Amino acid sequence: QSKAAILCEPTFLDYLLGGFEFNLTLAIDYTASNGSLASPESLHYQEGISYNPYERGLVSIGEILLNYDSDKRVPMYGFGARLRKDGEKSHCFAINGDEESPEVVGMTSVHKNYTESFQTLNLSGPTYFAPVIQKAIETCKKWNGLEGSLCPDYRKGEDDSFDSDVAEPEPPA
């Protein structure tokens, strides 16, 4: 006797219709591998009238996802920068400078905080993604008391700094 099973993978819409609460969290890569801020080839280049690749990604993806965020409050984190206030490299920091309240409200504020962030940091590295993922998971648990989270991944390229051991607190030597 054979048995057959039909497996259905839930869609994003299925989650929303089922009462899933969605809270957008953003993390920006401030590593030097993005290119010199003075170069038009830099992914963070801000001279000119058009959006750079990061701005295009933030706006195009953020505007869609923010429609499903109930409070429109978006924690924004950065990684891979040397912060000017203390000269230390940071693998997870609040882009608005407020570690206790890293949220900004709406896409206009997301874009403003991104563009102003370059006044407080220098691109550095290495690309070490685990601390910012761990922070997003902690934020999700704080909001919802959940043990899991959905983490879409929008990065510029390949990265081997993130593996199954998300909780590792320090970057590799």
Side-chain angles (χ1 to χ4, degrees), residues 102-123:
E103 300 92 3
V104 301
V105 180
M107 281 311 300
T108 300
S109 189
V110 164
H111 186 252
K112 178 179 183 275
N113 275 269
Y114 166 73
T115 57
E116 291 178 355
S117 67
F118 296 97
Q119 298 169 16
T120 63
L121 57 81
N122 293 315
L123 303 183

Side-chain angles (χ1 to χ4, degrees), residues 28-67:
I28 309 237
D29 178 354
Y30 289 100
T31 58
S33 64
N34 286 294
S36 167
L37 295 176
S39 168
E41 278 73 45
S42 171
L43 298 178
H44 288 299
Y45 185 70
Q46 293 189 343
E47 302 296 322
I49 55 175
S50 64
Y51 281 172
N52 67 37
Y54 272 91
E55 289 170 306
R56 284 193 303 274
L58 283 170
V59 172
S60 62
I61 293 170
E63 283 182 347
I64 292 167
L65 294 178
L66 202 57
N67 286 313

